[in-house]
Amino acid sequence: MTNFSELGLTDAILRAVTGEGYTVPTPIQAQTIPYLLQGRDVLGIAQTGTGKTAAFALPILQRLSENPRKAMPKSTRALILTPTRELALQIDEGFKTYGRHLNLKRAVVFGGVSQRPQVGALRQGIDILVATPGRLLDLMNQRHIDLCSVEIFVLDEADRMLDMGFIRDVRTIAAKVPTKRQTLLFSATMPSAVDGLVKGLLKDFARVEVTPESTTVERIAQRVMLVAKEDKRSLLGDVLKDSSVSRAIVFTRTKHCANRVAEQLQKTGVAADAIHGNKSQGARQRSLAAFKDGKVRVLVATDIAARGIDVDHISHVINFELPMEPESYVHRIGRTARAGTEGIALSFCDASERGQLRAIERAIRQSIPVDVTHAYHGKVSMTGGTTEEAPQRRGRNNRRGGGGGRNGGGGGKSWGRKSRAA
Ligand code: AMP
């Protein structure tokens, strides 16, 4: 097994990686980093959740810091294009974390917010810019940024960018980046349009591919439980009465909610603990160890805190609140069904979360069966169109307790599509 120090990374970067608690590189990291450090172009076939951000961020940080050069005003040395605001923020956060012992300037730009602070951030010139295509083009057209000194160009989630209608923007932007550069393109799938981009933009590239997560998703029995917000805690209590729920992760959207749910469970005698970004690394590791040892049966977590959790034999993933981004759903439920086992994912959905449920179903290209057997089903008004409307889906998987119910077909080969325009 490769470790990070064998990949040729410098001490400042290794320290940041170790500080994050990473011990071994993920397959995409082990395969990609050496090529990128050599300056090669890379086509990476991998999706979010595989560790691909660090796969490109670590070598970019290293290459930029090894050749220090003051960026010219209104220019950037590395440009990372990504389809959504959420991904842009996540990638920028990755650069911040992994580059914490280096002295490189970053900025992130995306649409839907005022451009003024973004313009300010670009003025002095920066090293790393993470951008969504629409806002970047706007800023280019207003001459707030010039791509003439880009040395490294990354196209992240290329298939999704094309799906979202960004192909022309991407081509326009790529045409403004100097041809003498290093180019990386990441895509979960390789439709012919992406192939066209690869041929047009990459030179003498290395191709790296990791197994898609969807193979795991197909092994997970997914069910949705329609419930009023105020009944979610009682429903969780009921679900946990079933002894087949032997080791569960409960996901919430906020740290506050994670704490409240964990406290409530502890009060009712359930061995539970919360992990989230407000807890120290030490506290998080202690909670994780107790969960792995079986001393804690239920771990309540936020998406961010749960990243990188790799615990075997998690019987259930319970979405106490649905995530805003469909990809997070796939990451969450992928915590169960590890190491070839099957797993169960239950999602509590209240009336305000119906839109998120539909987005998830579109993304995984499956409809998630509705559990009609729990005590709170039917107590909640779901008017205005819900999954419940589809009568053929009702009762199809109404086995007892928290388990059962293989979701109905649909393939679910790709996900994370058409979520949100930048
Ligand atoms: P990404 O596919 O880049 O979104 O990565 C998913 C998450 O995996 C990241 O947020 C990291 O916290 C985590 N991660 C990345 N690399 C590693 C690693 N080598 N070991 C453990 N966790 C990692």
Side-chain angles (χ1 to χ4, degrees), residues 343-408:
I344 292 165
L346 304 176
S347 297
F348 294 2
C349 174
D350 67 37
S352 70
E353 294 171 307
R354 285 168 321 186
Q356 285 143 258
L357 178 60
R358 276 191 226 110
I360 290 166
E361 292 187 317
R362 269 201 305 275
I364 61 172
R365 299 194 179 160
Q366 294 174 11
S367 52
I368 306 173
V370 177
D371 183 315
V372 296
T373 61
H374 66 88
Y376 302 93
H377 182 80
K379 286 194 180 170
V380 53
S381 159
M382 287 275 178
T383 49
T386 75
T387 45
E388 230 187 336
E389 275 173 1
Q392 72 278 15
R393 303 223 324 257
R394 278 177 137 247
R396 198 167 62 188
N397 285 286
N398 52 358
R399 293 183 210 161
R400 275 189 314 113
R406 183 132 306 278
N407 40 288

Side-chain angles (χ1 to χ4, degrees), residues 4 17 20-26 29 47-55 87 90 98 304 307-309 331 335:
F4 279 102
V17 164
E20 277 304 282
Y22 304 170
T23 47
V24 286
T26 65
Q29 292 164 359
Q47 45 195 243
T48 302
T50 54
K52 75 177 158 66
T53 313
L87 282 166
Q90 214 168 292
Y98 307 134
I304 302 285
R307 293 238 173 95
I309 292 186
H331 291 169
R335 303 293 160 199

Side-chain angles (χ1 to χ4, degrees), residues 60-61 64-65 69-80 92 95-96 99-100 102-108 120-130:
I60 289 178
L61 287 162
L64 294 178
S65 60
R69 192 173 302 159
K70 186 157 168 32
M72 289 189 297
K74 300 187 181 180
S75 78
T76 180
R77 297 181 63 197
L79 170 65
I80 295 92
D92 179 59
F95 275 102
K96 180 177 169 195
R100 71 162 73 100
L102 302 169
N103 198 15
L104 294 167
K105 283 202 201 125
R106 315 177 330 269
V108 53
L122 297 172
R123 194 165 294 136
Q124 301 296 318
I126 50 164
D127 296 292
I128 301 152
L129 174 61
V130 183

Side-chain angles (χ1 to χ4, degrees), residues 50 84 132 195 337:
T50 54
T84 68
T132 56
D195 207 35

